[in-house]
Amino acid sequence: MSEQFGFETRMIHAGSRPEAVSGARQTPIFQNTSYVFQDVDHAADLFNLQDFGFIYSRLTNPTVSVLEERMASLEGGRGATCCASGHAAQLLIMQALMHPGSRVVVSTKLYGGSITQFGKTFKKFGWHGDFVDTNDLDAVDAAMTEDTKAIFVESLANPGGVVSDLEGLAKIANAHGVPLIVDNTLATPYLCRPFEWGADIVVHSTTKYMSGNGTSLGGCVVDSGTFNWAQNNRFPSLAAPEEAYHGLIFHETFGDMAMTAYLHAVGLRDLGASMAPQNAFQTILGSETLSLRMDRHCENALKIATYLEGHPAITSVSYAGLKSSSFYDLGQKYLPKGQGAVFTAQLKGGFEAGVKLVESVNLFSHLANVGDARSLVLHPASTTHRQLTPEQRSSAGAGDDIVRLSIGLETVEDLVRDLDQALST
Ligand SMILES: *Cc1c(COP(=O)(O)O)cnc(C)c1O
């Protein structure tokens, strides 16, 4: 759906048409593995990628396709590929770009699971993550090598209210002939527009705000369609002949849809991390109210962050919406509608105070998720970030005295009261 329509219109309509046979208005759940071919020639055209259509739900599924079109439209990209989880999205895009010996410059300020994925598990494929403080643009430039295939950052970084300088990072990536990949999970396309600042690829964990109810794992890779994969010889998956498709060159055959075609025809085909149609359906429902929810998430988060900053048990609060944040200016530039609803607070009482807080709250849920309608709290040092070294923890903004909050959609006074009793017991 074209961008001449407003964001809210696209949230509800992009990708979705009345179902052809019944006229059903909401997207049905196509709980199908496979689709009947019209005849042998039709089947051959589908398998040779000469015709678009449904073959088998590991590659494409009608319900998942609606969500893909919607995600592409909301981000202002050319095409999207949905998959089983946010981590699957990161695996899919890296598989398209990397080969044994390839490198990727990665922010030190990432979701804990992403640090482990890039730092440990990807190493088994011979892919090297060079971790850099990506708010230091000179350090990013210095880390680029001949083998570097991408820069990977989060727009709004989990967990510490860090905002990436997307415009500056895109310039460096461009100058080195590689794409800037932005994880836009915590910002969502409503709050942050990575492609407008020069990013080439956006990835999502749709598990979070896109679905919004804590029901459905999902991930998505959105391609801007503007990166030239043939500008150098670093991206043979896109720009060299693909043997499995009779020597087809994705970049030549599909143009600005090359990455999206590759991620379905090779990525999902061979890695198999497809999105379940039921999860696509739940995420489609969530996407319809995205802007309304994000406005309220941001409003509640700013109130809670302000309350906590004034509390005697708290040393500091890292929320880009607070004037005290070193990311305040970047937050106003890149997230002008609101700076999200996930942030950290530093407790005067250290590790023990963190444990006590998560065990004393009643309304907040103590669990490892963010971007739910419910308010959530977590002590990363004793949970999500416990596999990291103390140095990795503090450079990821998750030291022993840090708690992470994900502010939900409840009545904000009730949330304040819950934190008040938990901090004073
Ligand atoms: C949750 C999350 C991921 C991983 O997504 P899953 O859907 O849990 O695999 C990646 N990046 C960010 C910023 C996240 O919050």
Side-chain angles (χ1 to χ4, degrees):
M1 191 172 194
S2 88
E3 285 192 73
Q4 82 194 52
F5 288 101
F7 189 88
E8 288 76 10
T9 305
R10 288 180 281 134
M11 279 180 348
I12 294 160
H13 292 286
S16 137
R17 294 158 203 92
E19 197 271 323
V21 174
S22 65
R25 190 62 192 84
Q26 182 54 284
T27 300
I29 304 169
F30 283 89
Q31 194 68 37
N32 287 282
T33 55
S34 23
Y35 308 84
V36 176
F37 304 123
Q38 289 154 22
D39 52 35
V40 171
D41 288 341
H42 176 228
D45 286 349
L46 290 173
F47 278 105
N48 289 338
L49 303 182
Q50 284 156 351
D51 195 359
F52 287 108
F54 299 100
I55 301 175
Y56 190 62
S57 286
R58 179 161 19 87
L59 288 84
T60 49
N61 167 280
T63 309
V64 177
S65 297
V66 170
L67 180 61
E68 292 177 329
E69 210 175 315
R70 184 160 304 172
M71 291 300 296
S73 173
L74 293 181
E75 285 289 357
R78 183 66 183 89
T81 310
C82 284
C83 54
S85 68
H87 271 8
Q90 292 170 193
L91 172 62
L92 267 186
I93 186 62
M94 296 321 287
Q95 188 276 335
L97 303 178
M98 305 286 273
H99 293 268
S102 296
R103 312 188 77 87
V104 52
V105 170
V106 196
S107 171
T108 49
K109 307 232 177 36
L110 291 184
Y111 176 71
S114 299
I115 294 180
T116 309
Q117 189 188 39
F118 279 92
K120 287 205 171 127
T121 304
F122 282 175
K123 272 203 183 129
K124 295 189 175 178
F125 303 138
W127 306 346
H128 300 278
D130 292 310
F131 285 87
V132 177
D133 173 0
T134 44
N135 285 104
D136 179 348
L137 295 181
D138 292 335
V140 173
D141 197 49
M144 304 298 290
T145 71
E146 282 297 302
D147 296 320
T148 304
K149 306 288 188 178
I151 299 175
F152 186 95
V153 300
E154 294 176 8
S155 47
L156 181 62
N158 190 337
V162 173
V163 181
S164 292
D165 182 356
L166 300 180
E167 196 173 20
L169 290 164
K171 281 199 187 112
I172 297 173
N174 256 329
H176 290 271
V178 303
L180 172 64
I181 307 172
V182 176
D183 180 339
N184 205 26
T185 299
L186 291 191
T188 80
Y190 178 64
L191 298 179
C192 181
R193 320 279 316 148
F195 292 149
E196 291 173 15
W197 300 106
D200 302 288
I201 305 276
V202 164
V203 294
H204 276 279
S205 166
T206 61
T207 313
K208 314 294 167 51
Y209 294 113
M210 287 310 308
S211 63
N213 290 297
T215 59
S216 307
L217 266 289
C220 186
V221 180
V222 188
D223 181 24
S224 64
T226 54
F227 191 85
N228 177 3
W229 302 107
Q231 67 181 279
N232 48 36
N233 53 17
R234 288 193 196 189
F235 305 105
S237 298
L238 287 308
E242 171 66 41
E243 278 168 38
Y245 290 110
H246 311 296
L248 170 147
I249 298 172
F250 279 89
H251 174 73
E252 287 180 1
T253 305
F254 296 104
D256 60 6
M257 282 295 276
M259 178 57 87
T260 303
Y262 179 88
L263 292 181
H264 287 89
V266 178
L268 287 175
R269 183 196 65 185
D270 295 347
L271 299 175
S274 319
M275 180 180 268
Q278 174 79 39
N279 286 6
F281 175 74
Q282 312 271 51
T283 310
I284 287 167
L285 294 189
S287 70
E288 295 184 351
T289 56
L290 182 68
S291 66
L292 300 171
R293 291 184 289 106
M294 293 317 293
D295 280 338
R296 177 60 66 84
H297 276 296
C298 292
E299 187 187 322
N300 281 359
L302 183 58
K303 285 185 183 157
I304 302 260
T306 306
Y307 154 77
L308 286 175
E309 195 171 42
H311 196 285
I314 304 288
T315 314
S316 64
V317 177
S318 294
Y319 180 55
L322 292 175
K323 294 239 166 65
S324 59
S325 166
S326 51
F327 295 102
Y328 181 81
D329 291 340
L330 287 176
Q332 297 298 310
K333 173 171 176 181
Y334 292 109
L335 302 119
K337 292 202 201 78
Q339 295 74 42
V342 177
F343 61 88
T344 56
Q346 189 181 20
L347 298 163
K348 286 200 180 131
F351 192 92
E352 289 71 30
V355 170
K356 199 180 116 264
L357 176 65
V358 297
E359 291 188 341
S360 309
V361 286
N362 298 318
L363 198 50
F364 277 77
S365 302
H366 175 210
L367 56 74
N369 191 23
V370 291
D372 195 316
R374 276 146 285 274
S375 289
L376 316 173
V377 64
L378 184 81
H379 182 221
S382 61
T383 53
T384 48
H385 286 58
R386 72 180 306 144
Q387 287 154 10
L388 306 182
T389 64
E391 296 75 47
Q392 281 178 316
R393 280 210 288 266
S394 55
S395 77
D400 286 358
D401 54 354
I402 297 292
V403 288
R404 179 182 80 193
L405 298 111
S406 172
I407 304 303
L409 303 173
E410 300 95 335
T411 309
V412 71
E413 289 77 16
D414 294 337
L415 297 174
V416 169
R417 212 174 312 127
D418 192 35
L419 290 172
D420 219 35
Q421 65 77 24
L423 285 167
S424 60
T425 45

